[in-house]
Amino acid sequence: MSKCDEISVLPNIPPLYFLENVSSGSSCIVGEKDIQKNTFQLLPSELEVLTVTSYMDWGDLAKLSTVHKSWSRLIEDSASKCHPEGKWELALALLNGTHGLLRHPTRAVCYLETLSKEMRHVPAMVGLARCHLTGCGFATKNTDAGVKWLSEAAIAGDPSNCQASLNSAHELACIYERGQYDIEIDVNLAAKWFLYAAERGLPESMAEYALCCELGCGVAQDDGDALGWYVRAAEAGHSDSNFSVGEHFEAAKGVPQSDTDACMWYYRGAMAGDRDSVQALKRLEDIARIVLPPQWGRVLDV
């Protein structure tokens, strides 16, 4: 089990919450004689909380908060005490209307801002960035703030949030590459952020930066650099890059021409499910039958 798997994202109610809040209430549900009674009077207060948090998520607490007026802030009080991952789950539930909660982007943004500013929680930074970019939870869109939070998420990663940070860098690069959210296209910034994530091991960014090198988009055109990054991406598990490496060998782009090597890379791509690689092998059928073992050819039906 990983460290993240051990983290509970259930609400975290303070241990004496029900005892203190019911005792301080001015009235109760049952009647005058029961004013000072704890609703869960048969259980120790700590066990009450343990029982509730073991079975309830945020939607259940929302329902419970309507039982007694002194519990009306049950969700807010629980969120203030819970692990950041629990608060993150609450923010997502409010953004998407899940876990029994109604959709409430404005409240979600409040939690995202707390997580981002005070706890440097990378997924929350990304969520806050997207809210700014789309205007979700805000009166208007704020692309500058959105880009700022994506940038901070990209460089804020620790080992537990490394993947989220690299994904943020890749997302930011795609925004600049495609001009999303009415942001002006900037191929230089796109290449910069693709390289940032590529150098730190993100296969998708390796492939995108390779394409930048191949086309001279945001960087100097260089078939050799492009091939090097395509190879790294393919070896890191980016299946489409196998086809790109094969193309470079077949067309002698940055490497001596070799249909044999091209077939080997096309085969790797085909076995990973890339249809372009399958078609390339069929196009080079005569060579493929020579350089690939017979059983490989049957698998590919070439």
Side-chain angles (χ1 to χ4, degrees):
M1 180 179 291
S2 68
K3 186 175 181 181
C4 290
D5 292 333
E6 296 172 357
I7 296 173
S8 173
V9 295
L10 290 172
N12 187 4
I13 305 172
L16 302 178
Y17 188 86
F18 296 112
L19 177 64
E20 293 173 350
N21 281 279
V22 175
S23 297
S24 63
S26 59
S27 64
C28 195
I29 305 171
V30 182
E32 289 296 324
K33 294 181 180 180
D34 299 309
I35 288 178
Q36 297 301 322
K37 280 189 177 180
N38 187 334
T39 304
F40 303 109
Q41 58 187 351
L42 298 180
L43 296 174
S45 183
E46 293 86 348
L47 187 54
E48 298 166 7
V49 170
L50 179 61
T51 301
V52 170
T53 56
S54 295
Y55 297 99
M56 291 188 171
D57 62 13
W58 295 108
D60 297 317
L61 290 195
K63 297 173 184 176
L64 187 58
S65 67
T66 66
V67 172
H68 193 283
K69 68 178 183 179
S70 65
W71 300 347
S72 61
R73 289 186 52 81
L74 182 56
I75 288 182
E76 290 81 357
D77 293 339
S78 298
S80 69
K81 301 292 183 181
C82 72
H83 189 279
E85 294 305 316
K87 193 172 293 185
W88 165 237
E89 184 180 81
L90 173 58
L92 285 179
L94 290 168
L95 273 176
N96 302 318
T98 58
H99 292 279
L101 296 178
L102 294 176
R103 191 169 180 273
H104 201 312
T106 303
R107 288 182 65 190
V109 163
C110 292
Y111 290 115
L112 292 176
E113 288 181 332
T114 299
L115 286 165
S116 300
K117 296 175 181 177
E118 298 178 10
M119 303 178 186
R120 309 304 293 171
H121 188 275
V122 174
M125 292 181 188
V126 177
L128 183 59
R130 290 171 181 166
C131 286
H132 277 298
L133 290 169
T134 61
C136 180
F138 293 100
T140 59
K141 296 193 297 184
N142 186 337
T143 54
D144 289 339
V147 167
K148 167 186 172 292
W149 279 113
L150 270 183
S151 301
E152 290 200 28
I155 63 178
D158 55 42
S160 65
N161 279 314
C162 181
Q163 188 65 42
S165 290
L166 295 183
N167 289 340
S168 302
H170 186 83
E171 182 174 347
L172 187 56
C174 290
I175 288 173
Y176 281 123
E177 180 184 48
R178 302 164 188 169
Q180 296 172 329
Y181 307 110
D182 298 323
I183 292 175
E184 186 176 354
I185 291 175
D186 190 325
V187 293
N188 295 314
L189 282 175
K192 168 193 168 183
W193 284 109
F194 281 137
L195 178 60
Y196 179 90
E199 289 178 331
R200 288 159 179 79
L202 190 67
E204 292 81 2
S205 289
M206 294 178 190
E208 288 289 348
Y209 186 70
L211 184 61
C212 291
C213 294
E214 183 179 1
L215 301 178
C217 189
V219 293
Q221 199 282 331
D222 191 314
D223 286 332
D225 284 347
L227 177 60
W229 279 109
Y230 279 132
V231 170
R232 290 180 64 176
E235 291 178 342
H238 191 268
S239 60
D240 292 355
S241 291
N242 291 288
F243 173 76
S244 299
V245 176
E247 272 194 321
H248 276 66
F249 276 105
E250 186 179 3
K253 296 170 60 177
V255 69
Q257 201 281 335
S258 174
D259 287 340
T260 296
D261 286 323
C263 284
M264 296 298 292
W265 283 100
Y266 289 148
Y267 171 74
R268 284 182 49 153
M271 292 302 293
D274 180 57
R275 297 185 64 83
D276 288 335
S277 295
V278 173
Q279 294 304 314
L281 279 178
K282 290 181 178 180
R283 187 179 68 250
L284 299 177
E285 178 179 350
D286 291 341
I287 298 173
R289 288 189 180 278
I290 296 172
V291 301
L292 301 180
Q295 63 270 25
W296 294 1
R298 288 197 295 270
V299 170
L300 296 173
D301 190 29
V302 297

